[in-house]
Amino acid sequence: MIDYDFHTHTTFSHGSGSILDNALAAKQKGLKGIAIADHGFSHPAFGMRRKYLKQMKMECEQAQKQTGVEVFLGIESNLLGLSGKTDLKVEDYSYIDVFLAGIHRFVILDRASDYFKFFGSNFFTSVLKLSPSDKLVKNTTAAYINAIKNNPIDILTHLNFCCYANSLEVAKCLEDYGTYLEINTKKVHLTDEEWQNIVDKTNVNFVIDSDAHSPDRVGDCSLYSDLLSRISIPNKRIHNLCGNKPNLRFSAFKEKNL
Ligand SMILES: [Zn+2]
Ligand SMILES: [Zn+2]
């Protein structure tokens, strides 16, 4: 069982429960803390809205008081292109405690050309179950790496879900910058071979996240238990288990720079 679940959604984006509902579910399951990590602003259908940041922050504080569970305000920001830019702006930083980022479909991109270089090709390759071209892998890897280098991201969500990066190269970059690789328990996003390679050939650390879109899934680790039956990941490299608390890069960045 995890102590912290850093990736839960609410009605502010694509989830079915409120911030308090997620906190109550976390309390019931014995978690020490959760992050509300709703989808970033540039997703027209599911994205959270910037104008609600203040309200969300207040609701997190109230939910924490009411439940005794630590409730962080996070965001699952979207990568916007090859430049690695995300839709979390520096002016939003003061509201946010935990910075998650991932690649999602149907977001409003930084430049239209990114659709052809990378988003569109990932979409068609995954929907048509084609094998990805070397160029697509190269571009997707570059987008992830640029995002990790250029933003103080705490957690990279569901690496390679519906897209095709060189996962080992991305994991090496995560290790270098102190960003966690998420073990997402909502979806299978890496092959067993990729997990094994990452565990054996890098020293990147991990967090397990439910990516809950409903309160009943907060803290759910069942997909991780399945993975563990095939791949061994040392507990000491998973920083939201066994009383560990992750070292969050974004907090350190804010302390130093804001
Ligand atoms: Zn996601
Ligand atoms: Zn999510």
Side-chain angles (χ1 to χ4, degrees), residues 1-254:
M1 187 66 200
I2 54 177
D3 296 311
Y4 291 87
D5 185 348
F6 288 103
H7 188 167
T8 74
H9 292 275
T10 71
T11 48
F12 282 103
S13 70
H14 196 204
S16 62
S18 67
I19 290 176
L20 180 60
D21 290 338
N22 283 9
L24 287 167
K27 183 180 183 176
Q28 200 187 21
K29 292 181 180 178
L31 269 70
K32 290 184 186 156
I34 53 166
I36 304 303
D38 278 311
H39 292 289
F41 313 108
S42 59
H43 201 299
F46 305 136
M48 58 198 255
R49 297 289 162 247
R50 222 170 230 111
K51 63 180 177 183
Y52 294 125
L53 275 174
K54 200 172 172 185
Q55 183 187 338
M56 293 175 82
K57 186 79 176 169
M58 256 169 44
E59 287 191 27
C60 286
E61 286 165 8
Q62 282 164 0
Q64 176 163 316
K65 257 190 217 150
Q66 197 170 326
T67 60
V69 169
E70 278 186 273
V71 183
F72 303 103
L73 180 58
I75 182 170
E76 186 182 16
S77 63
N78 297 295
L79 266 67
L80 299 181
L82 280 176
S83 67
K85 192 172 162 188
T86 81
D87 54 7
L88 186 67
K89 294 184 181 166
V90 176
E91 51 264 40
D92 308 320
Y93 281 10
S94 61
Y95 294 104
I96 300 292
D97 306 307
V98 190
F99 186 173
L100 296 83
I103 290 179
H104 297 93
R105 293 167 169 178
F106 312 124
V107 296
I108 299 163
L109 301 176
D110 205 16
R111 281 178 299 202
S113 60
D114 280 318
Y115 184 80
F116 300 103
K117 284 186 191 151
F118 142 65
F119 280 92
S121 323
N122 272 310
F123 176 72
F124 289 110
T125 304
S126 92
V127 168
L128 301 173
K129 299 190 183 347
L130 304 171
S131 97
S133 68
D134 290 347
K135 197 167 177 193
L136 177 59
V137 173
K138 195 173 148 225
N139 285 345
T140 310
T141 306
Y144 273 126
I145 286 180
N146 289 334
I148 299 158
K149 284 184 177 171
N150 297 331
N151 302 278
I153 297 169
D154 289 315
I155 300 167
L156 191 73
T157 64
H158 50 64
L159 170 61
N160 273 5
F161 180 66
C162 294
C163 64
Y164 303 89
N166 179 324
S167 55
L168 188 60
E169 288 306 310
V170 176
K172 282 179 185 163
C173 183
L174 291 168
E175 178 191 342
D176 289 345
Y177 283 81
T179 297
Y180 289 99
L181 176 54
E182 179 184 73
I183 301 169
N184 186 297
T185 65
K186 180 165 184 273
K187 34 210 174 216
V188 173
H189 54 102
L190 292 172
T191 63
D192 287 357
E193 195 188 347
E194 283 179 304
W195 280 121
Q196 193 68 67
N197 257 327
I198 289 169
V199 171
D200 293 346
K201 294 180 184 168
T202 77
N203 289 310
V204 71
N205 292 313
F206 307 92
V207 290
I208 301 169
D209 285 333
S210 71
D211 198 358
H213 282 62
S214 54
D216 61 296
R217 277 210 65 252
V218 170
D220 178 16
C221 296
S222 40
L223 213 58
Y224 170 66
S225 309
D226 290 354
L227 181 69
L228 260 198
S229 65
R230 306 185 303 272
I231 305 290
S232 131
I233 304 178
N235 272 353
K236 65 173 193 236
R237 286 178 63 183
I238 303 177
H239 285 194
N240 59 338
L241 272 184
C242 311
N244 293 332
K245 190 173 175 186
N247 203 352
L248 297 171
R249 177 186 169 195
F250 184 57
S251 310
F253 176 90
K254 286 210 300 183

